[in-house]
Amino acid sequence: MTESKTDIRLFNLGQLQAQLGKYNWPKFRAKQIYHWLWKKHARSFGEMNNLPKDIIEGLENNFEILPIRVKDEQVSDDGTIKSAFETADKKIVEGVLIPTEKRMTACISSQIGCSLACSFCATGKLKRLRNLTASEIVDQVVEINNQATTNYKKSLTNIVLMGMGEPLLNYSEVMKGIDMITSEDGLGMSPRRITLSTAGISKMIRKMGDDMSRINLALSLHAANDEKRSKIMAINDQNNLDELAEAMIYYYSKTKQMLTFEYIIFRDFNDSLDDARDLARFCKRVPSKVNIIEYNSTDDEQFAKSPEDRVDAFVEFLTKQKIVAKVRRSRGQDIDAACGQLANKNKAELK
Ligand code: SF4
């Protein structure tokens, strides 16, 4: 009977030293192994060519590395690269590389599927299968960084947790992953370059404040009155706008970090001047800026893209109210780069 092996990347350096201590290997080996795992992103113990053979064998017999791999890759006309990643247990998650002149941004996932079922989101149509581990979160960054350097000769500059899943419902693994992405023992990226986007879990926004988070926080708002927001985001029933505003005021008091509100603008749903007025009122409650995001139409036509003149009038209204608002044009439209769409195509494998 074969004994089950332990995922070696579940351990931080101290825990790994304790684990490896059981085998009486010299202490410095743990550091070397850790370096291979997190700096060089080794996918097998055999690659660790500065370790003696007996240690490699010992590792192979007792531990395993469970990386995600790129299963499918689509390149948009605008250079956006969308990947379907396969986990070791054969589930699909998605990640996107968004190259612009100034930035190389990775959009990564935090869960396989999502339990929140926002009505405009393709991922919301997939049930949540499980949370991603911290190492699977880091792996997406490593793979997308490889795509950036291979295709554009540039490294990643920014990371947004805006792919599949609600990151605040996988808080501990997401934070562990971010520690690894920002740590000098890991990828060494600045936390200021990382944005976590939430559908709005007020309790966890407060927790981020208590934990003195150094990353940026964005709220997927999409409507600034409760009736409308609850229509498209069921989570609003337990976390209404007042509660969210209070949680964000608390978060700001702890971190002094400005919030971002994401607002997908849909035709005849949330693109009127009354909607802009609601949004301006909400924004004034906490130091913030707004990203107005053009809707990327899916096959499932419950929503439509707002016409350009409506979007322009909406933004003009906000600007007159002294709200900082920018329009983000959709990227990767020809390859279904909207949240959840690629994995939806692979959904047979998600079952
Ligand atoms: S928008 Fe985000 S929170 Fe809502 S269903 Fe999609 S992935 Fe989940």
Side-chain angles (χ1 to χ4, degrees), residues 111 113-125 162-167 197-199 220 222 233 339:
Q111 297 181 308
C114 185
S115 55
L116 297 189
C118 303
S119 58
F120 52 85
C121 169
T123 299
K125 296 184 176 53
M162 220 178 262
M164 294 171 79
E166 166 52 57
S197 176
T198 176
S220 295
H222 312 321
M233 301 179 78
C339 168

Side-chain angles (χ1 to χ4, degrees), residues 68-326:
I68 61 162
R69 297 177 195 282
V70 180
K71 183 176 164 69
D72 187 22
E73 210 180 86
Q74 289 176 276
V75 184
S76 160
D77 292 343
D78 64 18
T80 300
I81 302 177
K82 175 131 175 156
S83 303
F85 296 117
E86 188 177 58
T87 59
D89 58 348
K90 307 276 181 233
K91 305 282 188 286
I92 300 291
V93 284
E94 62 182 10
V96 185
L97 169 66
I98 306 156
T100 61
E101 225 168 82
K102 291 191 186 143
R103 291 177 176 195
M104 285 282 143
T105 303
C107 173
I108 60 169
S109 297
S110 55
Q111 297 181 308
I112 303 176
C114 185
S115 55
L116 297 189
C118 303
S119 58
F120 52 85
C121 169
T123 299
K125 296 184 176 53
L126 310 170
K127 59 177 191 270
R128 189 196 76 94
L129 294 186
R130 67 168 172 83
N131 287 338
L132 291 177
T133 61
S135 44
E136 288 169 332
I137 291 167
V138 176
D139 283 353
Q140 294 174 71
V141 175
V142 171
E143 293 294 350
I144 297 175
N145 189 46
N146 288 343
Q147 292 171 336
T149 50
T150 307
N151 292 283
Y152 300 105
K153 313 277 174 276
K154 288 180 189 165
S155 301
L156 286 182
T157 58
N158 295 73
I159 297 171
V160 292
L161 281 128
M162 220 178 262
M164 294 171 79
E166 166 52 57
L168 295 186
L169 293 179
N170 183 18
Y171 189 79
S172 63
E173 290 302 303
V174 164
M175 290 305 160
K176 246 204 257 173
I178 288 171
D179 279 350
M180 199 48 78
I181 292 165
T182 53
S183 140
E184 281 311 314
D185 288 327
L187 301 178
M189 275 188 81
S190 162
R192 306 300 307 137
R193 299 278 178 174
I194 302 174
T195 300
L196 183 152
S197 176
T198 176
I201 320 273
S202 34
K203 190 172 120 197
M204 300 311 291
I205 292 172
R206 286 172 186 271
K207 171 139 180 65
M208 271 184 85
D210 287 335
D211 292 347
M212 301 297 284
S213 162
R214 293 175 303 141
I215 60 170
N216 304 301
L217 179 61
L219 173 71
S220 295
L221 187 62
H222 312 321
N225 80 56
D226 279 314
E227 200 188 322
K228 277 197 186 186
R229 192 163 192 269
S230 286
K231 269 191 192 151
I232 54 170
M233 301 179 78
I235 186 75
N236 194 65
D237 292 342
Q238 299 92 45
N239 296 263
N240 67 27
L241 290 168
D242 270 344
E243 284 169 40
L244 287 174
E246 274 161 33
M248 287 182 298
I249 291 165
Y250 180 80
Y251 174 87
Y252 182 79
S253 74
K254 291 279 184 172
T255 63
K256 296 286 172 282
Q257 286 193 53
M258 188 189 262
L259 279 292
T260 302
F261 297 132
E262 309 286 354
Y263 192 98
I264 305 180
I265 190 156
F266 303 105
R267 186 176 78 199
D268 300 332
F269 177 74
N270 62 358
D271 63 349
S272 72
L273 292 186
D274 281 344
D275 295 311
R277 194 167 295 117
D278 287 341
L279 178 56
R281 204 175 299 131
F282 189 77
C283 289
K284 285 178 185 166
R285 297 179 72 171
V286 55
S288 56
K289 60 184 169 74
V290 183
N291 287 335
I292 307 288
I293 303 164
E294 281 184 333
Y295 180 59
N296 209 358
S297 300
T298 63
D299 302 340
D300 174 14
E301 285 301 344
Q302 195 191 341
F303 298 98
K305 189 174 171 186
S306 181
E308 219 167 299
D309 55 335
R310 301 265 294 185
V311 177
D312 290 346
F314 193 94
V315 172
E316 200 185 308
F317 181 92
L318 292 175
T319 309
K320 277 193 188 140
Q321 295 284 314
K322 305 213 176 344
I323 306 294
V324 179
K326 265 195 201 150

